[in-house]
Amino acid sequence: MDIKKVIVTGRMYKDLEKLALMDTKREYKFLPEAEVSSNDFDWADGYVAFKPTDSFHFGKLQWVHTLGAGVDSFLFNREWKKDVLLTRTVGSFGRKISEYCLSYILADVQRHGIFQQYQTERQWLPSQQKLLQQLNIVIFGTGTIGEEVARMLRTFGVTVYGVSRSGASNCHFNRVLPITEVHDLLALADWVINTLPLTPITEGLFEMRLLSCMHGAGFINVGRGASVDENALIEAIERGSVRRAVLDVFREEPLPAQSPFWSHPNVVITPHISAVTGLDEAIDSLLAVLGEMDSGQERISNSVDVNRGY
Ligand code: GLV
């Protein structure tokens, strides 16, 4: 694929200007989102950003590269033009999300919140903590991120189950089940982690029936907010099937001020930071894709299957 003219936009556009010095084979336009016009898409054959601008259309584009791991802002509810290649950044997201999840799971088993409370009350109340190796954790999504979370948790002896569309086995998990067969397993889970991409199949997946199968599990969402029925989650927390929720992603972001999640004592909110793209990994990933295209490689690494949506 011969890419000659590239638009780069989004929050990193200024920092990415150094790309023009590293890659003199192409012409680049580095623009803030609001300044990308419809005409720019009739000029460029490549587009690099976190999401489409309001002015986005396929124009002359042959290649789109997202600076994040998720591709739903490009594919979800959009008819993709078949011959346009979509590639994504993978970088160290698996590692970052693993450490994010581990931090909340470990703080929970070690009862940080409870001991902090006891301290304010000057109470001396010993108790015995569980070990990580006593936990069963169910991870929805067995792709590069889910796999890395599983790998890390298993080094601590956690029993890790994976859930995927096909249920195909994967050496990083003790066992993988298809989404349709997960209900009984959820009753055993100490934690359930969602790493799934947003697709028509995963939209609203965590609804009342599924959440009710949990018996006091913690729930971490590092996938996409729209995979969760947010009212059902609040109800599941009230009923106790979900003991606490750690949420990094929401159907609407920033989370609206009136959301009941903000003030719920059993909900932890973080502002979509479990895996933020670093400048170095953005550049490395882009240069790797360009290098593969320039060398005529047929199947570009980190290209997205636009029919599956991830
Ligand atoms: C973050 O959510 C990403 O898609 O990289």
Side-chain angles (χ1 to χ4, degrees):
M1 184 172 292
D2 195 21
I3 300 295
K4 288 274 175 261
K5 295 173 180 171
V6 183
I7 305 167
V8 179
T9 187
R11 70 169 164 85
M12 278 186 174
Y13 85 94
K14 267 251 157 262
D15 293 327
L16 287 170
E17 277 180 12
K18 61 171 98 154
L19 253 181
L21 304 172
M22 295 165 151
D23 172 27
T24 49
K25 286 203 186 87
R26 275 160 276 262
E27 225 181 300
Y28 284 91
K29 271 193 194 176
F30 300 93
L31 296 167
E33 282 179 7
E35 284 176 29
V36 179
S37 74
S38 176
N39 288 344
D40 288 319
F41 294 96
D42 297 320
W43 168 84
D45 37 30
Y47 175 78
V48 175
F50 284 94
K51 59 179 170 42
T53 53
D54 292 342
S55 56
F56 182 89
H57 67 103
F58 284 104
K60 289 222 301 237
L61 295 181
Q62 294 180 55
W63 168 58
V64 170
H65 178 80
T66 170
L67 295 165
V71 289
D72 49 293
S73 64
F74 288 98
L75 292 184
F76 193 65
N77 286 338
R78 182 191 308 274
E79 178 102 30
W80 193 254
K81 195 171 158 205
K82 285 277 172 291
D83 51 353
V84 175
L85 173 70
L86 177 61
T87 55
R88 67 185 187 122
T89 305
V90 174
S92 57
F93 298 137
R95 263 245 133 86
K96 289 174 179 169
I97 288 185
S98 301
E99 294 189 12
Y100 175 94
C101 295
L102 181 64
S103 72
Y104 288 102
I105 294 169
L106 208 43
D108 185 63
V109 249
Q110 289 293 330
R111 313 180 81 207
H112 285 189
I114 292 168
F115 289 119
Q116 210 166 349
Q117 177 63 30
Y118 290 167
Q119 184 175 344
T120 63
E121 297 162 1
R122 297 173 183 251
Q123 293 221 65
W124 183 270
L125 287 172
S127 63
Q128 203 179 337
Q129 279 83 255
K130 265 190 173 178
L131 291 171
L132 289 175
Q133 67 188 30
Q134 294 171 283
L135 301 187
N136 293 310
I137 297 188
V138 177
I139 301 176
F140 280 71
T142 57
T144 49
I145 290 174
E147 211 175 73
E148 180 64 22
V149 180
R151 195 193 60 72
M152 184 272 304
L153 289 172
R154 286 186 76 197
T155 62
F156 293 100
V158 176
T159 304
V160 185
Y161 298 91
V163 180
S164 70
R165 198 158 73 152
S166 66
S169 68
N170 176 316
C171 64
H172 297 286
F173 295 83
N174 292 76
R175 199 175 152 208
V176 180
L177 280 91
I179 287 183
T180 46
E181 287 171 29
V182 77
H183 298 84
D184 291 344
L185 177 67
L186 292 177
L188 304 175
D190 295 289
W191 284 89
V192 174
I193 302 174
N194 177 42
T195 71
L196 287 168
L198 178 62
T199 68
I201 293 177
T202 66
E203 187 186 23
L205 176 70
F206 293 89
E207 38 63 79
M208 203 58 227
R209 200 170 78 90
L210 194 84
L211 294 167
S212 305
C213 294
M214 300 181 199
H215 289 181
F219 175 66
I220 300 180
N221 192 6
V222 285
R224 283 294 183 255
S227 292
V228 176
D229 175 340
E230 295 185 342
N231 292 328
L233 177 58
I234 293 273
E235 201 179 320
I237 297 171
E238 298 295 328
R239 290 190 192 169
S241 52
V242 173
R243 189 169 48 84
R244 66 189 308 231
V246 176
L247 307 174
D248 187 46
V249 287
F250 301 88
R251 188 172 276 276
E252 187 180 342
E253 294 178 9
L255 183 63
Q258 69 276 16
S259 167
F261 286 139
W262 283 112
S263 54
H264 201 292
N266 297 342
V267 175
V268 171
I269 289 169
T270 55
H272 203 140
I273 46 69
S274 58
V276 176
T277 309
L279 181 61
D280 287 349
E281 62 193 339
I283 291 179
D284 289 351
S285 131
L286 245 173
L287 291 177
V289 172
L290 288 168
E292 289 185 10
M293 289 200 286
D294 288 346
S295 67
Q297 191 165 308
E298 210 155 285
R299 163 126 182 98
I300 308 291
S301 325
N302 299 335
S303 56
V304 174
D305 180 338
V306 294
N307 294 320
R308 282 196 317 189
Y310 54 94

